[in-house]
Amino acid sequence: DAGITQSPRHKVTETGTPVTLRCHQTENHRYMYWYRQDPGHGLRLIHYSYGVKDTDKGEVSDGYSVSRSKTEDFLLTLESATSSQTSVYFCAISPTSSQETQYFGPGTRLLVL
Amino acid sequence: EDKVVQSPLSLVVHEGDTVTLNCSYEVTNFRSLLWYKQEKKAPTFLFMLTSSGIEKKSGRLSSILDKKELFSILNITATQTGDSAIYLCAGVWGNTPLVFGKGTRLSVIA
């Protein structure tokens, strides 16, 4: 398995509170991604990073921000959590030269009450 | 409009059956198509297809891409209960990240 960890693995929070999810890799891959997965929607890209301090928006970026200060860490922040952000969040990484083959972390299950 | 459309969205079969899962995609700047399997955890990579007509095979699973008709199929022969999962299709266009379809939920019953 690719060396990807996510923390926390489960979180319950209240509407309006900030939440930060962490993705950590030991593969030194350039590209990192945050997805959310909801029933009936498949995996949808939130934000991605193509290097330290280089990030871009995905399909469903509203309400989310990201930061990447080190190659190995990619943080996803919900500035003010809403119930619509209840989801399973997956981090993924891909090697330097290709975005195709992505390896996924174990996921974080977030419940916003 | 969705760039990747999978069908069926769910499927129930009996052990030993052969199944075919479908994935159609949008053509503009298309580069490659990937299949993933997702059990009760993270998706795991199955195949990447870039050339039309060349079958990729791994055990009982195989996949092929048809660039003329803009679709791919994933075949699973002699299905087992361990094949029960969500199968995800994803495409790459230009230099953008993967775009996933909604997935096909396969249930294999004994």
Side-chain angles (χ1 to χ4, degrees), chain A residues 6 8-11 21 33-39 41-46 60 64 76 78 83-91 104-112, chain B residues 38-43 86:
Chain A
Q6 292 183 230
R9 295 292 313 280
H10 302 272
K11 186 167 181 68
L21 309 183
Y33 311 82
W34 277 108
Y35 292 90
R36 61 177 289 175
Q37 186 172 36
D38 306 287
H41 290 279
L43 281 162
R44 293 182 292 174
L45 182 66
I46 305 172
V60 290
Y64 301 96
L76 176 72
L78 290 65
S83 58
S84 65
Q85 293 176 311
T86 291
S87 188
V88 180
Y89 291 85
F90 286 102
C91 174
F104 286 81
T108 293
R109 192 172 292 273
L110 176 68
L111 175 60
V112 182
Chain B
Q38 184 177 23
E39 297 172 87
K40 292 184 188 298
K41 44 187 180 177
I86 297 173

Side-chain angles (χ1 to χ4, degrees), chain A residues 33 35 37 40-45 48 59 90 97-107 109, chain B residues 31-32 34 36 38 41-45 48 50 86 88 92 95-103:
Chain A
Y33 311 82
Y35 292 90
Q37 186 172 36
H41 290 279
L43 281 162
R44 293 182 292 174
L45 182 66
Y48 67 103
E59 177 190 358
F90 286 102
S97 60
S98 166
Q99 292 197 62
E100 275 102 339
T101 308
Q102 293 185 11
Y103 302 95
F104 286 81
R109 192 172 292 273
Chain B
R31 203 167 84 191
S32 57
L34 291 88
Y36 284 80
Q38 184 177 23
K41 44 187 180 177
T44 54
F45 172 77
M48 183 171 77
T50 54
I86 297 173
L88 297 164
V92 181
N95 287 318
T96 58
L98 291 178
V99 176
F100 284 85
K102 291 181 169 54

Side-chain angles (χ1 to χ4, degrees), chain A residues 36-96:
Chain A
R36 61 177 289 175
Q37 186 172 36
D38 306 287
H41 290 279
L43 281 162
R44 293 182 292 174
L45 182 66
I46 305 172
H47 283 278
Y48 67 103
S49 170
Y50 45 94
V52 173
K53 299 194 190 306
D54 292 323
T55 65
D56 207 347
K57 295 179 179 180
E59 177 190 358
V60 290
S61 59
D62 287 350
Y64 301 96
S65 62
V66 289
S67 66
R68 191 168 179 201
S69 58
K70 298 185 288 185
T71 299
E72 57 266 34
D73 289 324
F74 192 32
L75 303 181
L76 176 72
T77 298
L78 290 65
E79 303 290 347
S80 177
T82 67
S83 58
S84 65
Q85 293 176 311
T86 291
S87 188
V88 180
Y89 291 85
F90 286 102
C91 174
I93 62 175
S94 64
T96 302

Side-chain angles (χ1 to χ4, degrees), chain B residues 58-100:
Chain B
S58 176
R60 296 176 294 103
L61 277 66
S62 64
S63 184
I64 197 162
L65 181 68
D66 185 326
K67 282 187 164 181
K68 183 178 175 186
E69 300 298 331
L70 308 179
F71 75 93
S72 173
I73 59 171
L74 176 68
N75 274 326
I76 309 174
T77 59
T79 51
Q80 303 170 357
T81 55
D83 295 325
S84 295
I86 297 173
Y87 290 85
L88 297 164
C89 170
V92 181
W93 288 263
N95 287 318
T96 58
L98 291 178
V99 176
F100 284 85

